[in-house]
Structure formats: structure tokens, C-alpha cells
Amino acid sequence: MSRGVIQPSQQKLAEKLTILNDRGIGMLTRVYNIKKQGQVWKACGDPKAKPSYLVDKNLESAVKFIVRKFPAVETRNNNQQLAQLQKEKSEILKNLALYYFTFVDVMEFKDHVCELLNTIDACQVFFDITVNFDLTKNYLDLVVTYTTLMTILSRIEERKAIIGLYNYAHEMTHGASDREYPRLGQMIVDYENPLKKMMEEFVPHGKSLSDALTSLQMVYPRRNLSADQWRNAQLLSLISAPSTMLNPAQSDTMPCEYLSLDAMEKWIVFGFILCHAVLNSDAAALSLWKLALQSSTCLCLFRDEVFHIHKAAEDLFVNIRGYNKRINDIRECKEQALSHAGSMHRERRKFLRSALKELATVLADQPGLLGPKALFVFMALSFARDEIIWLLRHADNIQKKSTDDFIDKHIAELIFYMEELRAHVRKYGPVMQRYYVQYLSGFDAVVLNELVQNLSVCPEDESIIMSSFVNTMTSLSVKQVEDGEVFDFRGMRLDWFRLQAYTSVSKASLGIADHKELGKMMNTIIFHTKMVDSLVEMLVETSDLSIFCFYSRAFEKMFQQCLELPSQSRHSICFPLLCTHFMSCTHELCPEEVNTHTWIQKLSIWIINTCSFSTMTLILILTFPLFVTLHVFTVSPPQRHHIGDRSLSLCNMFLDEMAKQARNLITDICTEQCTLSDQLLPKHCAKTISQAVNKKSKKATGKKGEPEREKPGVESMRKNRLLVTNLDKLHTALSELCFSINYVPNLAVWEHTFTPREYLTSHLEIRFTKSIVGMTMYNQATQEIAKPSELLTSVRAYMTVLQSIENYVTIDITRVFNNVLLQQTQHLDSHGEPTITSLYTNWYLETLLRQVSNGHIAYFPAMKAFVNLPTENELTFNAEEYSDISEMRSLSELLGPYGMKFLSESLMWHISSQVAELKKLVVENMEVLTQMRTSFDKPEHMAALFKKLTSVDSVLKRMTIIGVILSFRSLAQEALRDVLSCHIPFLVSSVEDFKDHIPRETDMKVAMNVYELSSAAGLPCEIDPALVVALSSQKSENISPEEEYKIACLLMVFVAVSLPTLASNVMSQYSPAIEGHCNNIHCLAKAINQIAAALFTIHKGSIEDRLKEFLALASSSLLKIGQETDKMTTRNRESVYLLLDMIVQESPFLTMDLLESCFPYVLLRNAYHAVYKQSISANA
């Protein structure tokens, strides 16, 4: 071969096509961002979003002048208009550099494309998509990318202002225009109507382009079939022919089978616009053109930029002589597209839903079929992706009144099955690798070797390349897969691309046009290599839906429609999964969308990997006039990861909405179950019992028209399977939605990991918290609150429903219970909101116990409950229904030990405030009390001293209040002990045993620790640790410990000498039925014992000695009233005598023997006899 002839290998067609296509996408990304920024400036009107010089009114006239004169530069005669520019020139240069040099890069890209197209024409390259697939595809892609880039460039409204401003600023700064400006300005003017200009440009390229396009006649019509034709051919079905299920899916045009229909339509539409002359001479070309025009009304230029086919084509052809027929064709095709395209694509989506579902189901059951039927998977993904993108594009650009064909409420199902197939490919990648490694080495290598051997002519370079193909495949083994070896066939694929370029030029020794079998075989082999090392890239190529990132509104609308339709909610997880696609639409040449360091790192890796294929490639890159220069980084604006941020925000929003929907369904189910549980409450059986009694006694049962109340359980009686209750619908909807939430354990979006189940858990915690508090039905105005037992019933019903969620979703519902219920045992939850502990504590203290203090409620020891007393103003609640043993146990179940401890501490705080007031009264009467303490054996002197005391009634009233509070606390502690004995009997018995066996000589600090443990378990203690802690905090700094001790002693004296005054009170009558007094003075026994034990523990005094002293003083004082003759003073003397017996019975420190020595037991016996006799006579 002559050295003077340029070798095909020296043209580097494959390398240039690869580089220019990649760079073209990068330039599209950058130009698109500039255009969108211009739209944002207009839409938001935010001065900060737009460079100041484009909104500055002082520069407005200069900008208009520059645009009007563009591309001419006139700086001399317009000093007034351009004077303001002089001040801003440095800022303009700095801020517009990125935009300006992007336009320069576009121009240089255009130059390189034109140069390459001319080279291809000169080489008379043969194009056939079915033979030299990579060469033809890359050529057509380059043409479309170039066309798209120039079209979007022409849509940037500020392009002249930006370029002109920068150049004027450059001239003012450097004294001359930028060297690229003349060519750049001319290009902007020339490409005002880009397609018209490019139609002129492509006249010499018409032959090559039309050849490439007409090769699609074997591929495009076969892909663009109706759903009925697909259905009749049983397309994508693995089970239609069971006998051939294990046979590998074969095709002579393997890569064409999953080629994007959207890409082919762009090739055809743009291609035949550029070389329109062939439409008049080639029937096959005209047929392709018409078919493409009938399929769509608009095409995707880039992302959400669209191209309205028919209008643009008609506008271009209308000015060409003799094209009336073509214009009529366009109009007919437009009518056809508007009337039939929507329904055709709707039916396709309907077919694909069932086809992909079948495919995904079969492969889930038999993943081994992914080997022989991999082609079906990628065909299915590509078909579905094309239909989804078509719908998305047309729904946003509807050109007809009826929109039914562009609203698909089942689109989520199709996307879901796509995601399922993608998941199968990722999961069973090793299965596919194993299959195709054996296929390549055992079959492909042998067939290719035979083809090479049978070639009549095979030049040395081509022979070396094809021999390397055979050797590479022959060396493969299954052991490499088993050992986890990383495969890399990129070099082999690039060599095949080069070989296509070498053999497609007109004077090639080995022409691929004469050896089509070789081309088809190599295309199949290339597909097989991709199944080994490029599965992820194949998934991106065939099923990437990152375009949804740019249709946020439509994306969110589809999601809402999916959630609203119960049958589709199980597929809602596909929307968060789509967010994982978004980052694949970014490009390294647009650092505004990706991290700069990532760009440099990827570029370096790309260069290194490419060098391994050919040293010439590296030289080409280094000498190639890179249109993406370093100023991209030096002048780059602050990083805006808007695509990543959008993917994160959308994914978060989708998962949050799914969890909210599930939470709302669960809440509705809980409400229904709480209603059913409420029907089983004892209070509802009264009416049923009344009806039964009346029926037995044959009494009239109210109005005849009154409907009979349904009994609980009626809802479970089904007469017909078709009857569906509201609860059934809720459960069905919940199971569907939970399937979606449980579909994936987590998903990674832009280096962030989302866990769908955690969203549900979080929402359940928040809702459970609000529901529990809400179910208390606390009304601050009326002081109404739900009974603890009713709340407990509702909470248990709620928890039962939540536990059933574990049947649908793999979440730890116990963790939810622990988090929520433990927070409810505290005063405030984690959000600072009141809990049921604080609500019930406030209600019992401020409502129930306050009414006790007011005399409206009494504590009945016999009933172990607080009971309403008959008064003029009836209370709005029945105290017994909130304080009996069952209610207190329910309260203990709800609040738990922590909550009951908080309740106790709140009670003790009220007691401590009462004790503080009592101490003040003691201080006021200290002198008199000191004398009375030593004069209890002198009746006359005691009587005289007693008359000097003040606030005697206040002391008794405050001690009674303390006693009432302590009585309520004892009920609460007893209930807590009962509850804990059921839940943790062994632990409670151990604590009880520990408490009962404390040696008397034990140090008080150690004993108090044991008492505190016992009190937390609800066990009664000789000394109340909570009361000790509350009273300890009252120590005054101004009073010495000795003085404090004296006040404590005198307090007991004060109470002892004040007891006789109770006899004169009408309400002090003892009632055997309730085993107490209606004015609650029987609670004094508990108050005296507990206060004495706590005070003298604090002051380290002898509790027994002080209580003995109290007993002596009280006995002496009570014996005196036996000698009184005034009936008013002694009206309830016997009832007051009984207090001494109660005090001794309540005290662990006093005995009956000690009482006998102070107060004759015969008086107690007579007192009991008298009060019982009085009670019987009163009842009679």
C-alpha cells in the first residue's frame, strides 16, 4: 500500500467520534444550564440571581445598544452610552467569563464536528446500523448532538448581551477585542435560525447521512409496532414457548433490539430535515420520515427542552420551492399523531405492564434464565423507558383538547416492574457473568475464528486485531468468575469500533460491506462482553429515567395519583427508586452539577484507561484543542449541586408522604379498633342488663321506634363474601402500601442512604404519642379527662393494631412502644409537649384532691376510694370512677414506675408546702407550745395555755390535707405494687424480702436507699423516702438544726393538743360503713405517722420517743373532753377518740400496750360501741 495515501487508522474516526460525542453532551449540559439560568432570572425576579449588570438601570441603555449593534463593535462614537460600562468592566469580565468561554467552546466544538464530517465524506464511509453499529450510531448521535446544541444555543435570549458585554469590557481593559469574538459573533448571527443554516451546511454531507438513516428501515419500523402486533407476536414472553425457554435469545441485529426508539426518531427527524432532498428521491426514506412524524408531536432535545416537529419542519419547508407535497405530508402526519399517537402509546404501556410483570415474576423464580434471556430483559427495559419518556414529554406539551391519553394512573406499575428487572440484573450479575464467559469462550471464539479463517483478504492490522479478539475470548474461564476477578472488555470494544472505521472507508482492503456476517457476529460478541463487565452501564443505557429530575411537577403529580389509587400504592416505592437515577444525567464538563475534584479524578482515570488502548489516543487528547479549558474551574461560580439536592429532596418527600399515608391508614384502623374495644367496656352493658330485666318483669321498654342497640361482634358476621367493610378497605390499602415501604431495606441517593422503614417508624412514634395524649380527652376549661381504665383499653387496642404492622413491614414495633411509652412516663416528651403523666398528675392534684380539700369529696377507707359527698353544687365527675382500685391500677399501667414516681414527687411537693405553713404557725405559737409540752399532766394549766393558741383549726385542716394526699398516694403505691407483681413477680418479691430483712442497727443512709427501692416498687415503708427528700429541701439557712428539731417536736405537740377541737365539728361523725369520717379527719392518722417519721429522720431524732410524747399529749387532751359538760363541744367525742386507735394501728412505731398505758382501752371499746349504735339508729 502506498505511503502517500492516508491510512484509515490515521484518521482516528472512532476516537474522534467517541470524544466529540462525549464532549457534545458536556457542552449541551453547560449551554442548557445557561439557558435555564436566564429563565430563572426572568421567573424569580431576584436581583441576586442575575448578574447586577443585567438588571442595573444605568447599564440598560448600554446593553440595548450592544444587542442592537451586535456583532459590530463601536466604542468611539458612543461614549455616553458606554461610559457606565467603564466603571463595571472588571466585574463584567470576572462574572461573564464562564458564560463567554462556554460560547467559545461551542464554536470550537462546531469547528471540530464540521472537520470530522468533512473527513467522513472524504473517506466515503459506509454506514449500516445492522453491520457497523457503533460507527453508524456514533455518527448519527454526533449529528443530532450538534443540531441540538446549536438549537438550544439559539434559544438563549441573553446570548448577544453576554457576549457583547464581555467583549466591550475586554476591549476597554486590554485595548482590543477578544481574539475569538469576531468568529463567535458571526456564528451567533448565522445561527439565529439554526436548522435553516445547518440545512445549507449539510448539503455536502447528504450522501453519508442519508445512507446512515436509510439503514434504519430494517430496525425502526420493526420497533415502532402497535401493541396488538406485539401481543400477537408474544413479544418478551418467556413462557409462550416452554420448549425453547433455555435457548439463548439470538438476533442478527443484537444491539439494535434494545436501541432507544426515542433516539431513532431524533435521528430520522433531524437527519431528514438536514438532508431533505433525499425525501423526494427515496421512497424508503420518505416512509421512515412519515412513520416518525406520526409517532410523536414533539421530540426531546435535551432534558426538558423539546422540539415541536411538525411546526418546525413546516416552517423550514414552506420557503423551499416544490415542497408543497412534503408540507402536505407533514400536516397529514400531524393530524395522525394528534388523533392516534396517544392511544397507540397508551395501549403499548398497557401491554408492557403485563409483559414486564410476567418477565419479572419468571426471573424471580428462575434467575438462571437471566443468562440465555438477557436480551429480553434489556429489550423490555428499553421499550418501557421509551414509552415512559414519551408520556412524560407529551403530557407536559399537550397539543390537543382531550388529555385522557396523556394521563396514566398506572404508570407507577410499569416503572416498578422496570425497577424489579433492574434489581434482578444487579442481584444475579454473577449468574449472567458465568453464563456469558462460557458463551464467549466456548461458542463465540470458535465461530469468530472460523469467520476470520474464511476471509479471502485480511490485512495485517485487521488480522492482528481479530486474532486478539479470539485470544481474549479463548482465555476466559468460569474460575475467573468464581474467584471474583474483575473483567474489563473496554479495550476489545474500542478495538472493534476502530476496526469498523478501518473497514468502512471506501478503499479499505477488507470492506465490512462485503463481510456483513462478520459485522453482525462481532456486534453479538460485543453484547455478550457487556453482559460480563458492563451490566451497570447497560442498565443506564436502557432504563435510565433521570429525565424525571427535570419534570418535577409531573413527577410529583404521578406520585400523588399513585398514592390516591389503592391498587397502585404498592408500586409507590418506584418513585424514590427513580431518584437514584438522577446523578447519571450529570456530566463532568459541567462542574456546577458535580464536584470539581470528582471531575478531575474521573478525567484522569479516563485518560489512563484510554492510553492503555492506544498511545496515539493520549497524544490526540494532549494535542486536541480542548474546548473545555481551565477557566471552567478558575472562573466557576460557587458549586450548586442542584441535581443532587433535588434527588435528595424528592426522595425524602416521597418516602415521607408514603410513611404519612401509611400512618393515616394505621390511625384510621386504630380508631375503628378503639371504637370496637369501647363497645366492650362495662359501662355499655347497663342498657343491655336493663332491657333484660325489663323483659323479664314484662315492663314497657321505652319508645317503640327506638332502634335496638347492636351487640359487639356483629361486625364480624358476614353473609356474603362480596360485602366489604371500611375496616377491610383500610387493611387492604395498608397491606398494599406496606409492601412498597418494605420493598427495599435502603436505597442510596447521591452518597446518602435512605431507609424507608425508618420513615414509617418515625411517623408511627409521633402519631402514637399524639394519639395517646389525645385519647385522654383532657379539657382544661371543664377539667374533664378520660378515666384511666378507658384510656388503657384504647391504648391496648392501639398497640394491638401497631403490633399487627409487623406482619406487613419488617420494623421493630417494640422499639416504637418503648420510645413512646417511656416518654409518656416523663413530665414532658422529647418535643417538649405534655404527656399523660403530667396531664393525670395535674388533674388528680388540681381537680380531685382540691375538691377533697373543699369538702366535696371524702376518702372512704372501706372502699379504698374517694367518693363524692352530697353537696349543693354537684361535681362534673364521679370521684370513685377515677380513684377506685381498678382505676388506680390502670393509671399505674399507663404511667409505669417512672410516671408514678413523678406523681409521688408532685404530691410530696404539695405536702412540703403545707408543712412549711405549719412550721410558720408553730413559730407563731412557740412559747405556748413549749410550756404545753412540759405541762401535759396539769389539766388546768393546759386549758389556760390552750386558750392562748392561735390558728388551731388551720393546723388541723392542713394536717388533714396532708393526710388526704398521703392516703391518695398509698392507693397509688398499692396499685403500682399490684401491677408490678403481675409483670415482674420475682423481682418484686426479691425487693420485698430485702426490705423486710433490714437489720434495725443498719445505718439510716443505707436503710433509706432500700426504702427508695421499695417505694419505687410500690411497697409501703416505715419511713417514706419521697417525703424525706421533699421535707429535706425545706431546711432554712437562718435557722440552726437544733431550732429546726425543736419546731418539729412542737409541731407534733400542736397537733396533739388540737385534736379535742374536732369533737365539736358536725362532720367529725365516724361512719362504720366507710370506716372513716366524712370530713377526712381519719386521714390524720397517716399524716401524723408519716410526717413524724420523715421529720425526725431528717433531724436524726428518735421517732418512737417523739410519737410516744405525741400519744401522751393527745391522750391527756382527749381525756379532758370526757369531763366537759357542753354537748356542742363533745357532740362527736367518741368519733374523735377513735383517732387514737387509728394512729396506733397506722404506726409501725407505736403499740396497743403503749396506748393502753395512756388511754384506757375501755373508752375505745365504748366509743366503737357508741358510733356503731348511732350509725344503726341513723340508718333506721
Side-chain angles (χ1 to χ4, degrees):
M1 188 175 289
S2 174
R3 289 286 180 183
V5 179
I6 297 177
Q7 298 293 329
S9 59
Q10 293 175 351
Q11 297 296 343
K12 299 295 178 187
L13 296 181
E15 290 85 345
K16 289 179 181 178
L17 282 170
T18 302
I19 293 171
L20 283 175
N21 270 314
D22 180 63
R23 294 302 183 264
I25 300 300
M27 295 312 304
L28 269 173
T29 308
R30 287 167 60 186
V31 171
Y32 171 87
N33 274 291
I34 292 174
K35 180 182 183 298
K36 288 300 174 184
Q37 284 179 35
Q39 289 180 353
V40 169
W41 297 338
K42 280 191 165 186
C44 67
D46 184 4
K48 294 180 181 178
K50 192 173 185 177
S52 59
Y53 36 83
L54 291 178
V55 291
D56 191 349
K57 289 187 177 179
N58 296 326
L59 289 175
E60 188 175 351
S61 61
V63 171
K64 287 182 179 178
F65 170 77
I66 291 169
V67 172
R68 189 172 67 252
K69 294 292 184 178
F70 188 88
V73 180
E74 298 181 12
T75 57
R76 295 180 181 179
N77 302 324
N78 298 280
N79 291 332
Q80 291 182 351
Q81 290 177 312
L82 302 176
Q84 190 65 27
L85 226 66
Q86 188 73 29
K87 300 176 184 178
E88 302 283 344
K89 60 185 179 183
S90 59
E91 282 297 312
I92 290 173
L93 283 175
K94 179 182 175 183
N95 292 317
L96 285 185
L98 175 64
Y99 306 110
Y100 179 81
F101 285 108
T102 296
F103 294 136
V104 172
D105 291 342
V106 171
M107 181 180 69
E108 294 188 355
F109 174 78
K110 172 183 133 0
D111 293 342
H112 290 295
V113 171
C114 291
E115 181 186 343
L116 180 58
L117 291 177
N118 289 329
T119 303
I120 290 173
D121 289 339
C123 292
Q124 299 179 18
V125 178
F126 164 76
F127 290 111
D128 188 339
I129 195 78
T130 63
V131 181
N132 51 3
F133 174 83
D134 296 308
L135 187 64
T136 307
K137 179 182 181 297
N138 277 270
Y139 173 73
L140 292 172
D141 279 343
L142 183 63
V143 171
V144 169
T145 301
Y146 173 43
T147 308
T148 302
L149 180 60
M150 302 314 291
T151 304
I152 294 179
L153 177 66
S154 69
R155 294 183 179 185
I156 300 175
E157 294 180 10
E158 299 84 4
R159 63 191 185 281
K160 291 182 179 178
I162 291 170
I163 295 169
L165 270 173
Y166 181 87
N167 185 62
Y168 271 87
H170 188 281
E171 181 157 328
M172 290 175 179
T173 305
H174 301 287
S177 295
D178 181 74
R179 63 193 178 104
E180 302 291 351
Y181 177 75
R183 291 178 60 235
L184 179 59
Q186 192 58 46
M187 183 190 78
I188 295 297
V189 172
D190 290 344
Y191 285 85
E192 285 287 345
N193 188 339
L195 286 175
K196 186 177 180 181
K197 173 66 176 173
M198 293 178 73
M199 285 166 67
E200 298 170 4
E201 273 185 24
F202 269 79
V203 171
H205 311 314
K207 174 71 169 62
S208 297
L209 183 55
S210 60
D211 286 348
L213 292 172
T214 51
S215 71
L216 291 170
Q217 63 184 329
M218 298 297 295
V219 179
Y220 179 67
R222 193 173 64 201
R223 277 292 311 276
N224 197 7
L225 298 176
S226 67
D228 288 335
Q229 289 171 305
W230 280 354
R231 198 171 285 110
N232 293 334
Q234 294 186 316
L235 188 71
L236 304 177
S237 177
L238 298 182
I239 58 177
S240 59
S243 59
T244 62
M245 189 178 286
L246 295 178
N247 296 349
Q250 290 284 9
S251 170
D252 288 340
T253 55
M254 193 75 87
C256 298
E257 301 302 329
Y258 56 85
L259 185 59
S260 170
L261 187 69
D262 187 53
M264 284 193 280
E265 287 181 349
K266 282 199 283 189
W267 293 345
I268 293 167
V269 171
F270 286 122
F272 284 125
I273 284 177
L274 297 180
C275 61
H276 52 85
V278 74
L279 295 175
N280 297 320
S281 59
D282 191 336
L286 184 61
S287 175
L288 282 174
W289 164 256
K290 284 184 176 180
L291 189 57
L293 292 183
Q294 291 169 3
S295 298
S296 305
T297 58
C298 59
L299 287 177
C300 171
L301 281 177
F302 188 69
R303 295 182 174 173
D304 60 342
E305 287 291 316
V306 297
F307 176 79
H308 293 283
I309 309 169
H310 305 92
K311 184 179 185 305
E314 189 174 342
D315 291 345
L316 288 168
F317 289 174
V318 75
N319 296 320
I320 303 175
R321 185 178 298 175
Y323 269 59
N324 291 334
K325 194 171 184 182
R326 297 290 79 81
I327 293 171
N328 290 332
D329 288 342
I330 292 170
R331 289 171 181 170
E332 288 175 10
C333 291
K334 182 179 180 180
E335 290 301 318
Q336 183 77 7
L338 289 173
S339 57
H340 295 100
S343 58
M344 181 182 73
H345 284 275
R346 185 188 66 233
E347 290 303 314
R348 280 188 191 172
R349 292 193 300 275
K350 185 177 178 182
F351 166 79
L352 287 171
R353 281 200 300 272
S354 59
L356 265 68
K357 181 179 181 181
E358 178 192 304
L359 192 60
T361 305
V362 172
L363 292 176
D365 186 59
Q366 297 294 331
L369 290 174
L370 277 166
K373 302 300 181 185
L375 180 62
F376 279 18
V377 174
F378 292 106
M379 285 172 62
L381 291 173
S382 180
F383 289 10
R385 192 264 308 270
D386 286 332
E387 293 306 316
I388 291 166
I389 290 177
W390 187 96
L391 175 67
L392 192 63
R393 183 171 70 244
H394 284 76
D396 204 50
N397 297 275
I398 299 173
Q399 295 186 17
K400 57 182 289 188
K401 294 180 181 179
S402 176
T403 61
D404 293 344
D405 291 334
F406 304 100
I407 299 173
D408 190 347
K409 294 184 178 180
H410 298 85
I411 193 69
E413 186 176 354
L414 183 57
I415 300 172
F416 175 80
Y417 292 126
M418 283 183 68
E419 289 297 331
E420 197 158 11
L421 287 175
R422 285 166 60 93
H424 289 333
V425 172
R426 285 193 293 265
K427 183 177 180 181
Y428 299 110
V431 174
M432 300 174 73
Q433 279 186 326
R434 189 184 185 95
Y435 181 87
Y436 282 102
V437 161
Q438 294 178 79
Y439 204 124
L440 285 165
S441 61
F443 180 81
D444 290 339
V446 175
V447 174
L448 181 62
N449 190 40
E450 287 181 6
L451 283 173
V452 173
Q453 297 297 328
N454 293 331
L455 290 175
S456 56
V457 178
C458 188
E460 184 180 354
D461 290 346
E462 286 80 345
S463 178
I464 292 171
I465 292 175
M466 286 191 284
S467 297
S468 71
F469 292 165
V470 174
N471 294 335
T472 301
M473 291 187 289
T474 307
S475 63
L476 297 174
S477 68
V478 176
K479 192 174 186 303
Q480 291 173 288
V481 180
E482 294 171 349
D483 294 342
E485 185 176 325
V486 178
F487 295 93
D488 189 354
F489 294 109
R490 287 180 297 174
M492 180 176 171
R493 288 194 286 271
L494 184 55
D495 282 341
W496 167 235
F497 191 3
R498 290 192 182 106
L499 189 59
Q500 291 177 59
Y502 300 165
T503 57
S504 296
V505 296
S506 61
K507 295 180 180 179
S509 301
L510 175 65
I512 200 167
D514 302 322
H515 299 85
K516 293 184 178 180
E517 296 78 10
L518 175 64
K520 293 176 180 178
M521 183 63 204
M522 276 307 303
N523 288 336
T524 303
I525 290 172
I526 293 304
F527 173 76
H528 293 168
T529 62
K530 289 181 178 180
M531 296 299 99
V532 178
D533 72 333
S534 299
L535 284 174
V536 174
E537 289 78 1
M538 281 293 291
L539 288 176
V540 172
E541 182 184 341
T542 56
S543 61
D544 174 54
L545 289 171
S546 57
I547 193 171
F548 274 102
C549 179
F550 309 99
Y551 288 92
S552 297
R553 189 177 299 173
F555 196 23
E556 292 172 24
K557 186 178 179 181
M558 287 178 180
F559 174 72
Q560 291 300 333
Q561 288 175 344
C562 177
L563 282 187
E564 289 167 6
L565 205 62
S567 63
Q568 288 297 304
S569 60
R570 72 185 285 113
H571 307 122
S572 56
I573 190 63
C574 70
F575 292 95
L577 287 171
L578 280 185
C579 296
T580 62
H581 297 208
F582 287 1
M583 293 311 292
S584 64
C585 72
T586 59
H587 197 277
E588 295 88 344
L589 295 190
C590 190
E592 292 92 338
E593 294 180 347
V594 292
N595 190 289
T596 303
H597 300 293
T598 307
W599 190 96
I600 296 171
Q601 184 182 14
K602 288 184 177 180
L603 181 61
S604 303
I605 293 170
W606 187 85
I607 291 172
I608 292 167
N609 289 335
T610 309
C611 289
S612 64
F613 304 146
S614 172
T615 311
M616 286 299 294
T617 307
L618 178 58
I619 296 171
L620 178 68
I621 291 172
L622 293 177
T623 57
F624 197 82
L626 287 175
F627 28 83
V628 182
T629 51
L630 290 175
H631 61 257
V632 171
F633 304 110
T634 57
V635 195
S636 175
Q639 296 297 317
R640 298 190 311 279
H641 306 290
H642 55 278
I643 290 181
D645 292 337
R646 196 179 304 171
S647 64
L648 294 176
S649 62
L650 283 172
C651 185
N652 178 67
M653 186 269 285
F654 291 149
L655 292 175
D656 196 54
E657 286 297 319
M658 288 165 63
K660 281 181 183 177
Q661 183 83 348
R663 176 203 67 189
N664 293 338
L665 290 169
I666 292 167
T667 303
D668 292 342
I669 293 171
C670 288
T671 303
E672 293 271 353
Q673 290 293 349
C674 287
T675 303
L676 296 176
S677 296
D678 184 74
Q679 293 175 5
L680 296 174
L681 290 175
K683 65 180 182 181
H684 293 300
C685 69
K687 192 170 183 179
T688 305
I689 294 172
S690 174
Q691 289 175 349
V693 170
N694 291 335
K695 191 175 182 181
K696 204 170 185 180
S697 59
K698 297 182 181 179
K699 290 183 180 179
T701 58
K703 297 179 181 179
K704 292 182 180 179
E706 185 178 351
E708 188 175 348
R709 180 174 172 269
E710 287 187 350
K711 293 182 180 179
V714 171
E715 71 282 345
S716 298
M717 298 170 64
R718 304 293 178 95
K719 295 181 180 179
N720 191 333
R721 287 177 179 270
L722 299 178
L723 293 176
V724 180
T725 65
N726 185 46
L727 206 54
D728 296 334
K729 293 176 183 177
L730 291 172
H731 276 293
T732 302
L734 179 62
S735 63
E736 294 291 295
L737 189 56
C738 285
F739 170 84
S740 192
I741 293 172
N742 200 49
Y743 183 70
V744 287
N746 50 60
L747 42 107
V749 179
W750 197 40
E751 299 178 357
H752 292 69
T753 302
F754 290 86
T755 307
R757 297 165 192 168
E758 286 302 314
Y759 279 80
L760 179 59
T761 302
S762 175
H763 277 289
L764 287 179
E765 285 185 14
I766 295 169
R767 178 52 61 92
F768 190 28
T769 300
K770 289 181 178 178
S771 296
I772 289 179
V773 175
M775 286 188 291
T776 60
M777 295 183 288
Y778 179 63
N779 188 325
Q780 195 168 6
T782 60
Q783 289 297 309
E784 293 178 353
I785 199 167
K787 290 191 285 187
S789 60
E790 293 182 5
L791 176 60
L792 181 61
T793 301
S794 297
V795 170
R796 282 176 171 164
Y798 213 107
M799 291 174 69
T800 302
V801 174
L802 290 181
Q803 278 181 313
S804 70
I805 303 304
E806 290 184 334
N807 298 328
Y808 303 111
V809 188
T810 312
I811 59 174
D812 185 5
I813 212 69
T814 305
R815 193 185 80 185
V816 176
F817 292 159
N818 289 341
N819 291 348
V820 174
L821 296 178
L822 279 174
Q823 286 185 41
Q824 291 301 310
T825 64
Q826 305 301 311
H827 177 50
L828 298 172
D829 62 18
S830 58
H831 301 286
E833 298 294 326
T835 61
I836 57 172
T837 296
S838 60
L839 292 178
Y840 274 108
T841 298
N842 291 337
W843 189 86
Y844 277 106
L845 281 170
E846 302 300 330
T847 303
L848 190 140
L849 293 179
R850 190 175 292 280
Q851 294 299 333
V852 176
S853 304
N854 294 337
H856 298 149
I857 297 173
Y859 173 59
F860 287 12
M863 298 173 65
K864 285 192 175 181
F866 288 85
V867 180
N868 290 21
L869 296 175
T871 55
E872 292 181 4
N873 299 321
E874 289 292 329
L875 297 178
T876 57
F877 65 93
N878 190 344
E880 185 181 356
E881 293 181 358
Y882 289 88
S883 61
D884 65 11
I885 192 65
S886 64
E887 295 299 332
M888 296 309 292
R889 283 175 181 167
S890 298
L891 185 68
S892 299
E893 284 272 12
L894 290 167
L895 306 191
Y898 284 116
M900 296 303 282
K901 184 182 180 184
F902 176 78
L903 175 63
S904 296
E905 288 171 353
S906 301
L907 294 170
M908 293 309 160
W909 182 86
H910 281 265
I911 291 173
S912 67
S913 63
Q914 295 293 340
V915 171
E917 294 300 319
L918 286 170
K919 285 183 178 179
K920 291 177 184 177
L921 298 177
V922 169
V923 172
E924 290 175 9
N925 296 278
M926 187 173 286
E927 247 185 80
V928 178
L929 291 171
T930 304
Q931 294 179 42
M932 294 182 80
R933 184 181 183 187
T934 56
S935 306
F936 66 89
D937 55 346
K938 300 173 184 177
E940 295 81 6
H941 188 51
M942 287 285 284
L945 289 172
F946 181 77
K947 290 178 181 178
K948 295 180 182 179
L949 290 175
T950 59
S951 306
V952 174
D953 290 340
S954 180
V955 169
L956 290 173
K957 185 175 182 181
R958 292 185 184 281
M959 283 299 289
T960 304
I961 290 171
I962 292 171
V964 167
I965 294 174
L966 288 171
S967 298
F968 177 76
R969 182 169 184 268
S970 69
L971 288 179
Q973 288 292 94
E974 185 180 348
L976 177 62
R977 183 178 69 250
D978 293 343
V979 169
L980 292 180
S981 296
C982 292
H983 291 306
I984 45 172
F986 299 109
L987 189 57
V988 171
S989 62
S990 300
V991 173
E992 193 169 5
D993 186 59
F994 194 30
K995 177 185 78 76
D996 292 342
H997 293 86
I998 302 176
R1000 281 287 175 186
E1001 63 275 7
T1002 304
D1003 181 68
M1004 185 52 69
K1005 287 185 177 179
V1006 177
M1008 289 306 295
N1009 288 335
V1010 176
Y1011 288 151
E1012 190 173 353
L1013 172 65
S1014 304
S1015 179
L1019 301 174
C1021 303
E1022 293 180 357
I1023 304 167
D1024 192 329
L1027 187 56
V1028 171
V1029 170
L1031 297 181
S1032 298
S1033 62
Q1034 286 187 341
K1035 286 187 178 181
S1036 176
E1037 295 178 0
N1038 301 326
I1039 303 175
S1040 64
E1042 293 79 12
E1043 194 72 15
E1044 285 277 2
Y1045 178 70
K1046 183 180 178 182
I1047 291 172
C1049 294
L1050 293 178
L1051 174 59
M1052 302 308 296
V1053 172
F1054 204 162
V1055 175
V1057 299
S1058 302
L1059 290 178
T1061 60
L1062 295 171
S1064 61
N1065 191 335
V1066 180
M1067 298 298 291
S1068 295
Q1069 173 67 39
Y1070 179 84
S1071 172
I1074 65 173
E1075 296 181 6
H1077 307 76
C1078 288
N1079 60 354
N1080 290 313
I1081 60 173
H1082 53 276
C1083 296
L1084 284 170
K1086 193 176 287 290
I1088 290 163
N1089 280 293
Q1090 296 281 5
I1091 293 295
L1095 285 174
F1096 297 118
T1097 298
I1098 294 168
H1099 301 301
K1100 300 179 181 177
S1102 173
I1103 301 172
E1104 291 185 21
D1105 291 347
R1106 299 285 69 78
L1107 283 175
K1108 286 177 184 178
E1109 182 183 21
F1110 170 84
L1111 200 57
L1113 282 165
S1115 301
S1116 173
S1117 301
L1118 289 174
L1119 284 172
K1120 282 194 304 178
I1121 62 173
Q1123 301 169 1
E1124 293 284 343
T1125 56
D1126 185 6
K1127 290 185 179 180
M1128 295 297 292
T1129 307
T1130 61
R1131 70 172 75 182
N1132 286 318
R1133 179 178 56 192
E1134 288 78 9
S1135 295
V1136 176
Y1137 282 168
L1138 300 183
L1139 283 177
L1140 286 177
D1141 183 49
M1142 293 178 184
I1143 290 168
V1144 174
Q1145 294 288 349
E1146 185 74 31
S1147 175
F1149 305 102
L1150 299 176
T1151 62
M1152 290 303 295
D1153 292 340
L1154 186 61
L1155 177 62
E1156 181 71 24
S1157 65
C1158 301
F1159 193 87
Y1161 189 75
V1162 65
L1163 288 179
L1164 285 176
R1165 187 173 64 245
N1166 290 339
Y1168 273 115
H1169 180 73
V1171 295
Y1172 272 83
K1173 186 177 179 181
Q1174 189 176 356
S1175 174
I1176 292 169
S1177 62
N1179 290 337

